[in-house]
């Protein structure tokens, strides 16, 4: 089971609420960093809350949800050490882990329904990083 830090903005609030329940039901250690209601809020601040936690706890994962997933992935990927993958398919989720060692999955509530979103998160959390040549490549990100 994994430690997971999850947050959204208003555009991702409903999907975030669904995923918190789903992940707790799976037995994960889930930390919901908000928001606690769907009032308008600024996604870069919620992305930062999750990136701070994921950097402090290297074995943890992050889940960020906004309307499209784009703003969250842009904000999270500005932080060195964060590899945030915007996913719209299980294939994305699988290879984001296997080849990119992504530590955050970004999802769009206005793009992906709850069923496929939950599947993507499950695949993401259960797929190991392959290392090898892929480690060499991700080590080049901040050169
Ligand atoms: C909010 O309307 C929307 O812009 C936000 O959720 C996200 O999609 C930004 O990338």
């Amino acid at each position: 089971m994994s430690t997971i830090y999850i947050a959204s903005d208003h555009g991702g609030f409903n999907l975030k609420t669904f995923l918190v329940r789903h992940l707790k039901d799976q037995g994960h250690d889930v930390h919901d960093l908000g928001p606690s209601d769907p009032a308008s809020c600024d996604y870069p601040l919620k992305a930062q809350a999750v990136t701070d936690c994921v950097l402090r706890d290297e074995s943890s994962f992050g889940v960020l949800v906004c309307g499209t997933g784009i703003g969250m992935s842009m904000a999270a990927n500005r932080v060195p050490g964060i590899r945030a993958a915007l996913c719209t398919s299980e294939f994305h989720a699988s290879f984001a882990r296997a080849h990119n060692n992504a530590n955050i999955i970004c999802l769009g509530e206005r793009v992906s329904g709850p069923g496929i979103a939950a599947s993507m998160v499950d695949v993401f959390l259960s797929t190991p990083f392959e290392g090898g040549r892929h480690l060499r490549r991700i080590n080049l990100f901040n050169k």
Side-chain angles (χ1 to χ4, degrees), residues 6-10 33-36 41-51 63-65 72:
I6 183 168
S8 74
D9 70 353
H10 52 288
L33 305 184
S36 54
C41 64
D42 297 330
Y43 61 81
L45 301 178
K46 307 313 288 183
Q48 190 187 350
V50 167
T51 60
V63 180
L64 285 168
V65 191
M72 284 296 197

Side-chain angles (χ1 to χ4, degrees), residues 1-2 4 18-30 118-119 121-123 125-126:
M1 290 299 110
S2 302
I4 297 158
F18 176 85
L19 290 173
V20 166
R21 182 76 268 146
H22 171 77
L23 290 166
K24 284 184 176 172
D25 288 349
Q26 306 268 310
H28 295 291
D29 177 24
V30 183
S119 270
V121 173
D122 292 346
V123 167
L125 294 173
S126 62

Side-chain angles (χ1 to χ4, degrees), residues 8-13 40-44 65-74 107-111:
S8 74
D9 70 353
H10 52 288
F13 179 77
S40 182
C41 64
D42 297 330
Y43 61 81
V65 191
C66 63
T68 58
I70 294 172
M72 284 296 197
S73 61
M74 286 181 167
L107 300 166
E109 178 179 319
R110 298 170 188 160
V111 180

Side-chain angles (χ1 to χ4, degrees), residues 44-137:
L45 301 178
K46 307 313 288 183
Q48 190 187 350
V50 167
T51 60
D52 284 351
C53 290
V54 168
L55 285 180
R56 269 199 295 272
D57 178 356
E58 273 188 25
S59 63
S60 71
F61 293 103
V63 180
L64 285 168
V65 191
C66 63
T68 58
I70 294 172
M72 284 296 197
S73 61
M74 286 181 167
N77 278 317
R78 295 183 66 83
V79 179
I82 293 298
R83 292 172 301 279
L86 171 55
C87 295
T88 57
S89 68
E90 290 161 342
F91 184 82
H92 280 140
S94 170
F95 279 84
R97 290 286 311 126
H99 285 194
N100 310 116
N101 200 18
N103 47 15
I104 295 183
I105 182 169
C106 299
L107 300 166
E109 178 179 319
R110 298 170 188 160
V111 180
S112 302
I116 182 69
S119 270
M120 286 192 276
V121 173
D122 292 346
V123 167
F124 186 83
L125 294 173
S126 62
T127 304
F129 179 45
E130 289 178 8
R133 67 187 186 280
H134 303 297
L135 178 61
R136 184 180 73 242
R137 289 165 185 163

